[in-house]
Amino acid sequence: MVTEIGNLIGGKQVPSTSNRTGDVFNPATGEVIAKVALSSAPELAEAVENAKKAQPAWAATNPQKRARVIMKFVELLNRDMDKLAEALSREHGKTMPDAKGDVIRGLEVAEFCIGAPHLLKGEFTEGAGPNIDIYSMRQPLGVVAGITPFNFPAMIPMWKFCPAIAAGNAFILKPSERNPTVPIMLAELMLEAGLPEGILNVVNGDKEVVDALLDHQDVTAIGFVGSTPIAEYIYTRGCANGKRVQCFGSAKNHMIIMPDADLDQTADALIGAGYGAAGERCMAISVAVAVGEKTGDELIAKLKPRVEALKIAPYTDGDDADFGPLITKAARDRVLGLVNSGVEQGADLVVDGRDFSMQGYENGNFIGGCLFDNVTTDMDIYKEEIFGPVLNVMRADTYEDGIRLPMENEFGNGVSIYTRDGDTARDFASRINVGMVGVNVPIPVPLAYYTFGGWKKSGFGDLNQHGPDAFRFYTKTKTVTSRWPSGIKEGAEFVIPTMD
Ligand code: NAD
């Protein structure tokens, strides 16, 4: 049965009035399983109107009561974990254990947001001058928004709306049109947890509704996650319209493998980080840089059988698959095109997953794991984010040659080094121009109480996602200087006040 997915505005699910819909597929079967609303500007305006009406009372609700809603939400996420993971796998294609991880990584940020009363505390200086006290406070911005990608349909929406709402804002979520079911389920759970109507609205759609969001004068801040060209567009247009904007974009994450690394551990780490979720992760490792004369050959010898043994299956086949299909046919065609280009441009395709087909799922977007050796910086498979189950191995003579690759790459999301040498690891962590660094950790996604964000073309704006930065992004600081009549001297003061 093909379901219709509309919007959630003012606390209720409502059908769209736009007459435009997008197909939502089951990536494992290729079937259309839902039609999602591609909403119009007036529908967005209605959501903003609802949010604007509801926000002042929510901002006036004491922070502990707001935090209790998030606490209850966490409880409901745990209650509905299996349901959420199933819906997520069905539209995304990732395995159920990985889908649970998607929900849990969002839940952990919700848990962090239960501490909002502490995170929203201001500062106070008594006696900053004669009878003068100064204090600062954090206030919500009003109506704020999040635009999120397909690859983490639970985690990233929660990274956005939990801190924004805990801080007293009303929120408009524009999720990916590829997998809209889970974001609506999350919003329903927030309502069940006691969130007043209008504080969290979900408006589905594509560029049309995103543009309406970017141009709406009552939307004060936008957090975006997705590909770099769209991130740049949203950052530029949102800023030009006077909004606070943070955008997180694409990635090309390298792992430097030093000659002293334990190569079995390294190969296992590369398999999980390169092929998990079919490589559709912004923190996936897609480039392994083997340093030293023998490291590359030994690494390839360990990787090859592991890639050949990868288990690929639809989520319905049980929990022991390593990964499932890619999100769309177009995504699969693009990855296949890039693999073909790698072969044409002279890289060695050590494991070729291009012909992989799942019996019974011939219309699914499956592709087998691919492993390239002797990749060079001029090849398209190096220059582009592949976002598929493809790992590139490159060779470097020295540590300096090796780290030059991520240093000179246009992206700077994640990076990792495998070594036993503390000096090398310390030097690497200090010098590398990438936002998230792993030392013998392949996917260094920071936990909820640290912040998450890439450098260079992987991140636009000055604050990161989740952790304390999320509260800074979704609040404004106000500073009050106060003096009481007993401390006021007679007569007008014409000189700028100083502490002299
Ligand atoms: P995408 O850029 O295609 O879409 C992201 C969002 O932007 C969606 O909500 C989509 O509807 C909207 N959008 C798409 N085209 C648009 C347009 N022309 N105008 C306005 N809005 C538009 O990204 P995706 O394919 O959903 O996600 C994969 C990408 O996201 C990868 O590049 C991945 O690296 C990146 N990503 C980055 C992070 C991070 O934190 N840096 C995290 C997850 C994913």
Side-chain angles (χ1 to χ4, degrees), residues 356-369:
F356 178 86
S357 161
M358 274 297 301
Q359 213 186 352
Y361 294 88
E362 286 77 8
N363 290 324
N365 312 321
F366 293 95
I367 172 171

Side-chain angles (χ1 to χ4, degrees), residues 89-378:
S89 293
R90 188 159 179 258
E91 286 182 357
H92 179 285
K94 61 176 81 171
T95 64
M96 282 276 279
D98 202 28
K100 282 185 189 162
D102 191 328
V103 179
I104 291 167
R105 274 295 181 134
L107 178 154
E108 287 172 358
V109 168
E111 283 174 334
F112 173 72
C113 293
I114 296 169
H118 173 69
L119 292 157
L120 292 168
K121 279 194 302 202
E123 294 171 320
F124 186 89
T125 303
E126 183 192 18
N131 280 29
I132 294 175
D133 302 323
I134 305 182
Y135 62 96
S136 65
M137 48 190 165
R138 292 198 167 277
Q139 294 190 326
L141 301 176
V143 180
V144 299
I147 302 166
T148 55
F150 82 83
N151 67 327
F152 282 98
M155 175 184 90
I156 296 180
M158 285 190 263
W159 284 10
K160 301 291 174 202
F161 71 67
C162 289
I165 287 173
N169 298 286
F171 198 88
I172 312 286
L173 174 65
K174 205 307 280 172
S176 170
E177 63 276 41
R178 310 249 171 270
N179 34 31
T181 294
V182 168
I184 295 262
M185 289 169 82
L186 295 174
E188 288 284 8
L189 290 183
M190 283 290 277
L191 288 165
E192 190 183 339
L195 190 72
E197 293 176 354
I199 297 300
L200 175 56
N201 303 275
V202 183
V203 183
N204 283 303
D206 55 6
K207 180 171 166 48
E208 187 172 327
V209 80
V210 170
D211 285 349
L213 202 48
L214 290 169
D215 294 343
H216 199 299
Q217 59 178 18
D218 291 330
V219 176
T220 51
I222 295 186
F224 168 88
V225 181
S227 59
T228 288
I230 312 297
E232 280 184 300
Y233 167 72
I234 285 174
Y235 191 71
T236 308
R237 185 155 168 175
C239 289
N241 284 338
K243 300 185 194 313
R244 190 180 282 196
V245 190
Q246 58 171 197
C247 293
F248 300 93
S250 311
K252 195 80 185 173
N253 305 317
H254 297 62
M255 181 194 283
I256 310 293
I257 298 118
M258 295 302 292
D260 66 348
D262 178 321
L263 288 187
D264 281 306
Q265 278 181 4
T266 308
D268 285 342
L270 280 168
I271 294 294
Y275 299 93
E280 289 177 323
R281 287 185 186 140
C282 70
M283 289 294 277
I285 294 282
S286 53
V287 183
V289 184
V291 176
E293 213 180 310
K294 294 196 207 121
T295 316
D297 289 345
E298 286 174 16
L299 185 65
I300 288 286
K302 292 195 185 288
L303 285 172
K304 186 171 183 281
R306 285 170 166 86
V307 178
E308 284 166 343
L310 284 168
K311 182 158 190 264
I312 304 158
Y315 79 94
T316 41
D317 267 18
D319 286 354
D320 63 336
D322 297 315
F323 63 87
L326 291 173
I327 185 72
T328 56
K329 282 225 163 345
R332 181 173 179 274
D333 290 347
R334 189 182 157 274
V335 173
L336 286 175
L338 277 164
V339 176
N340 290 338
S341 80
V343 174
E344 282 154 23
Q345 291 168 11
D348 298 326
L349 187 55
V350 178
V351 182
D352 184 354
R354 287 175 293 180
D355 290 335
F356 178 86
S357 161
M358 274 297 301
Q359 213 186 352
Y361 294 88
E362 286 77 8
N363 290 324
N365 312 321
F366 293 95
I367 172 171
C370 296
L371 176 66
F372 275 114
D373 193 8
N374 294 312
V375 174
T376 51
T377 53
D378 54 331

